[in-house]
Amino acid sequence: MKIRNAILAAALAMPALAGTEAPIIETVAPTPAAKKLSGSLTVGYDSNYSGRGYVVSHSVAEGDSVVYTALKTNYDIGKPGAWTIGNSIAYIIPTSGHTLYGNPTVGPTKATQISQALQAGLLTGYQVPKEQAEAIAKNTRIGERNIENQFTVLTEAKYHSPSEKWNIAFGHNFTHGGLLGVMTKHYRKRGASCVNELFVTPEWTPHKAIATGIKTSYSVSGMSGWWFEPYVTAKAPIIGTPQDPTLVAMVTLGASFTYNYFRTSYSACGNGAQAYWIKLSTPWFVTDNFIITPSVSFNWLGNGGNDANRRSEVRAATENPTMIPFKNFGVVAGVSATYTF
């Protein structure tokens, strides 16, 4: 059924980059699948590096955009459409730098402090001549830290109610690298940039074109604490019919909140509202098995996420106001191509 492929294509763009899977919603009643195993392969490009609703600043990533690929499979258990086992594997590559903030030099105030300490012998055990101390201090860098490519494996079991009015998914999310990896490795000092999460996503579909739900995740290693991602999605065919669409319009309103996730002053952000976004996408069926999905997302930073900007140690050390982790407002344009099987 074409509409299954359309929503599958749209779903693939979201989990890898924003942490929340777009809902799978139908415009017509589903028919029993002829095969139990189905899946898709997606490649895509986004104009800005984003995750969990955050849009990373130009300074952090030494640039902006990312490319990604994702493989998704679904297997029906027993009666088609009742219980399914899903697995998604995604790989995301920042197309610019992989060094946080580009490892800049310290600002004038910090450089003066270093120079004075060198001249007094407080750092080396012996006094460094003034000119030499000033030269060393001026070229002192904040310290190199990296942004690794993100590798995510998501496994879930999902139950679809016979009434088709609701569904619920339970699963596990493993992430290595990316934004969560930076938080784990460089702010929680875990050594490895790995996060393991357990999640549950109840979803209500009062109409074939509308779905609302909330993904609730609990980190059990790497980071620890709760992450909540509510969303509402609506869609309708632009070209074609609900039974046989050619071009579909989708609108998703989403947000992300944390509880007991950032618990110390040296955490990446503060708890509470992390980000809000509106995402527009238009899956286009080139063929029954090939879909191109352009999209654009408008993202606003929440108060909890803004804590990271307000207390940025890099901004303080460099005295450069652009050295903040996230954009207060960001626009993320993207395009993906999906082949279903």
Side-chain angles (χ1 to χ4, degrees):
M1 180 178 291
K2 269 190 169 186
I3 194 62
R4 288 181 179 271
N5 297 338
I7 305 309
L8 183 61
L12 282 169
M14 281 296 285
L17 303 184
T20 301
E21 288 202 68
I24 298 176
I25 52 179
E26 309 284 354
T27 55
V28 295
T31 57
K35 58 182 181 179
K36 287 181 174 293
L37 180 66
S38 61
S40 65
L41 177 65
T42 295
V43 294
Y45 166 88
D46 277 349
S47 62
N48 278 281
Y49 188 6
S50 62
R52 300 287 167 112
Y54 305 125
V55 178
V56 175
S57 73
H58 184 90
S59 298
V60 162
E62 303 177 278
D64 297 294
S65 59
V66 298
V67 294
Y68 61 92
T69 183
L71 174 67
K72 185 177 179 71
T73 58
N74 283 283
Y75 184 79
D76 282 322
I77 301 175
K79 181 181 178 181
W83 277 97
T84 59
I85 298 295
N87 182 263
S88 299
I89 301 174
Y91 194 68
I92 307 168
I93 306 171
T95 57
S96 49
H98 282 69
T99 302
L100 283 172
Y101 298 99
N103 191 19
T105 56
V106 298
T109 301
K110 187 69 174 179
T112 298
Q113 294 171 351
I114 293 172
S115 176
Q116 292 173 347
L118 286 170
Q119 293 176 59
L122 299 178
L123 300 180
T124 59
Y126 60 90
Q127 293 182 328
V128 178
K130 181 179 179 180
E131 289 186 3
Q132 183 181 354
E134 290 177 346
I136 293 172
K138 183 179 179 181
N139 291 287
T140 298
R141 296 185 177 274
I142 64 170
E144 187 169 336
R145 293 174 290 178
N146 64 333
I147 303 175
E148 299 170 80
N149 295 341
Q150 180 178 327
F151 176 68
T152 296
V153 179
L154 186 148
T155 304
E156 69 173 17
K158 178 176 282 189
Y159 176 75
H160 300 264
S161 71
S163 68
E164 301 173 25
K165 296 296 184 182
W166 60 272
N167 63 76
I168 187 167
F170 309 87
H172 171 261
N173 179 20
F174 167 79
T175 296
H176 180 278
L179 291 180
L180 292 182
V182 168
M183 293 177 184
T184 301
K185 185 176 182 179
H186 299 300
Y187 289 90
R188 282 293 177 87
K189 304 296 183 182
R190 299 299 192 194
S193 55
C194 297
V195 174
N196 282 278
E197 294 178 318
L198 301 176
F199 67 85
V200 57
T201 308
E203 182 177 87
W204 180 47
T205 52
H207 187 274
K208 296 296 182 182
I210 298 174
T212 182
I214 178 169
K215 183 176 183 179
T216 301
S217 304
Y218 183 76
S219 295
V220 295
S221 70
M223 301 292 286
S224 60
W226 296 89
W227 207 299
F228 305 95
E229 297 166 271
Y231 61 83
V232 177
T233 290
K235 71 178 183 62
I238 299 175
I239 301 175
T241 66
Q243 293 77 14
D244 188 24
T246 300
L247 187 66
V248 178
M250 293 186 65
V251 180
T252 297
L253 307 179
S256 63
F257 302 87
T258 57
Y259 172 72
N260 207 29
Y261 199 86
F262 303 111
R263 292 179 294 177
T264 67
S265 60
Y266 197 57
S267 289
C269 306
N271 282 308
Q274 302 303 312
Y276 308 91
W277 63 88
I278 300 173
K279 183 172 184 178
L280 312 175
S281 57
T282 53
W284 168 42
F285 295 96
V286 180
T287 68
D288 284 352
N289 297 100
F290 183 64
I291 307 104
I292 295 177
T293 306
S295 63
V296 61
S297 178
F298 304 92
N299 297 54
W300 292 266
L301 195 61
N303 191 56
N306 222 332
D307 276 350
N309 288 351
R310 286 192 287 263
R311 64 191 186 202
S312 170
E313 295 181 353
V314 177
R315 182 181 66 178
T318 61
E319 299 176 62
N320 183 342
T322 69
M323 293 292 176
I324 55 176
F326 306 124
K327 296 181 179 180
N328 288 313
F329 172 73
V331 178
V332 183
V335 63
S336 66
T338 298
Y339 175 76
T340 65
F341 52 88

